[in-house]
Amino acid sequence: MPDEGVITYVDAHSPFMQAAFETARDQSLDKTMPTGSVVVKDGQIIGRGANGSDFHEKNDGWCYRVANNIPTGQGYELCEGCSPKNHSEPRAIEDAKKQGHDTEGAELYLWGHWWCCEPCWAAMLAAGIKTVHLLQDSEVLYNKLDDHNVVGHQIESFQQLVA
């Protein structure tokens, strides 16, 4: 995490976290780790983005990073399906800018992950976004290495949380 970046954790009932969830649910192409982001400025959602591409699906699930045992969080640029251009954070920023919004001083809500990779932080900082809000307990819920994760049934798990 960059020195100027800030991560906070918000409850599942946050309307902006729910909007990030809806974006992931409705738009993500990643079946294993769907994520969604919303860019918020002055209390309004100005951009939305979800992760994924059809690269892995079209290539029978093949991934350069997995095939070469590259750890999570590293080498995204080596695989077309994992490329940072397919991450929800830069897509939400791009959406905000396409709609003519200034992202300087905005904040980003990220659902479906427990951290932001270096390329995503770089995109956010370049856009003037220094604060990222993650779902409370996301470091357990979305961490593939944690025994109590909900990977594989994130959508259903979140819907139960807010019910």
Side-chain angles (χ1 to χ4, degrees):
M1 188 171 117
D3 292 337
E4 61 269 45
V6 175
I7 291 178
T8 71
Y9 296 90
V10 299
D11 182 85
H13 292 92
S14 158
F16 298 128
M17 188 57 68
Q18 289 184 18
F21 159 74
E22 291 164 0
T23 302
R25 180 193 64 203
D26 298 344
Q27 298 177 21
S28 178
L29 298 177
D30 189 322
K31 306 297 185 224
T32 304
M33 293 296 293
T35 65
S37 294
V38 294
V39 177
V40 176
K41 187 169 182 178
D42 299 325
Q44 300 293 315
I45 295 172
I46 62 170
R48 294 175 182 263
N51 69 326
S53 77
D54 61 0
F55 177 85
H56 295 122
E57 189 176 316
K58 285 182 174 180
N59 290 282
D60 296 320
W62 185 83
C63 174
Y64 179 88
R65 292 175 56 251
V66 172
N68 289 283
N69 296 315
I70 297 173
T72 187
Q74 297 177 22
Y76 290 127
E77 68 284 352
L78 300 173
C79 177
E80 178 60 29
C82 300
S83 172
K85 70 181 180 187
N86 297 323
H87 293 190
S88 69
E89 302 97 304
R91 285 185 171 170
I93 293 165
E94 182 182 330
D95 181 54
K97 290 183 176 185
K98 269 187 191 174
Q99 295 183 59
H101 294 288
D102 177 11
T103 56
E104 185 70 37
E107 299 180 347
L108 187 134
Y109 287 74
L110 171 61
W111 181 89
H113 222 314
W114 59 286
W115 55 279
C116 300
C117 68
E118 188 175 336
C120 288
W121 269 114
M124 289 183 287
L125 292 174
I129 298 171
K130 295 181 181 177
T131 302
V132 175
H133 304 281
L134 301 175
L135 179 64
Q136 188 174 345
D137 299 324
S138 60
E139 69 281 1
V140 171
L141 296 171
Y142 309 127
N143 184 346
K144 293 177 185 176
L145 301 178
D146 194 291
D147 292 339
H148 299 96
N149 74 56
V150 296
V151 174
H153 53 274
Q154 298 94 308
I155 303 284
E156 300 84 8
S157 177
F158 186 77
Q159 289 172 323
Q160 290 174 354
L161 260 177
V162 296

